[in-house]
Amino acid sequence: MTNHPALKKTRLADRRLAIMAVLLILDSLHFVLARLLVSFMPATVAALYVMAIATVLVGLVGLGLGRIHLRPLRTSLWFFLLIGVLVAASTALGFEAMAFIDPGTASFLSKASILFGLGLSFLWLRETLTRVQVGGASIAVVGLVFLSFQPGDYFRLGALMMLVASFMYALHTAVVKRYGGDFDFVEFLFFRLLSTTLFLLLFSTARQQLLWPDARAWPWIILVGAVDVAASRALYYIALRWIPLSVHTIVLSLSPVAAVVWSMLLFGTAVTVQQVIGGAAVIAGVLIVTLNQEH
């Protein structure tokens, strides 16, 4: 009875649902945890140590499983250098933006990566858009503009940082989608994290911000590195392999809502009517685009 196909299918669906639920929670915490870290050290340095912790953890697991070899670096060094610099720049900008905007708004703005990804698919991968998808993308763009242009130069600077960071992350995703499908999962994740860490080290050194965190910061660094990077990105790529892209995107498009709740609870951030309207437009546009994808 335990091997019945219907029962297996149900269990697989439950497992995927559980993975997406955990991923949604972790994804919604990203900018909340970034906000906590930048109170201890410069943003780029915080991103460096977080990424380094995640690299060590994934590396230890990979070595223990015997699944990390140097061959991918010899054959595809350009690939890992490219995605490393894109993710490093995106992460550093996202952390820097926490000095200007709240985590909930940053999470909403980060969903611009979905629209940028859609544009890259259309222009680079030569995929086509339906009229409904164009309409949905337009609604989301209006929501992003509504969120971005609020009174105060600092807010606009933070929004601009998030939009640039979102584009870089979307470009990294497009590169991975096109060239990264044949790598072993553990090797891919390890070398992606390692390359990102090295570029963040380069950025921190160039800006003369490299410093050793004090004792108070280390528990947060380890927590964020283990949960927000190692666990979250592992689940992200696992879910991307197991679940249709439309479902994956729809679920993660809800993370800003959770991020706003976290921001209210932890930082006492008030939610404005403008944020509600802009955020609702972003989510509505993303849902229209993803629900009308062809499979």
Side-chain angles (χ1 to χ4, degrees), residues 44-57:
T44 303
V45 180
L48 165 63
Y49 284 111
V50 164
M51 203 65 64
I53 290 294
T55 303
V56 170
L57 292 175

Side-chain angles (χ1 to χ4, degrees), residues 113-136:
S113 62
I114 297 171
L115 300 177
F116 291 135
L118 196 62
L120 289 168
S121 297
F122 176 65
L123 297 174
W124 183 26
L125 303 180
R126 301 299 180 184
E127 297 178 358
T128 58
L129 301 178
T130 66
R131 290 183 179 179
V132 175
Q133 287 178 314
V134 172

Side-chain angles (χ1 to χ4, degrees), residues 204-281:
S204 299
T205 304
R207 299 181 66 181
Q208 298 182 335
Q209 292 182 333
L210 199 58
L211 55 84
W212 189 255
D214 62 33
R216 296 175 304 153
W218 275 110
W220 290 110
I221 292 172
I222 295 171
L223 173 67
V224 178
V227 174
D228 185 49
V229 180
S232 175
R233 294 307 87 185
L235 288 175
Y236 179 92
Y237 291 114
I238 289 172
L240 196 57
R241 291 187 177 192
W242 282 10
I243 298 171
L245 180 60
S246 59
V247 178
H248 187 273
T249 306
I250 289 168
V251 174
L252 289 185
S253 70
L254 301 177
S255 66
V257 179
V260 168
V261 176
W262 287 120
S263 185
M264 291 172 59
L265 293 176
L266 296 177
F267 305 112
T269 304
V271 179
T272 67
V273 174
Q274 188 168 354
Q275 287 175 310
V276 172
I277 296 174

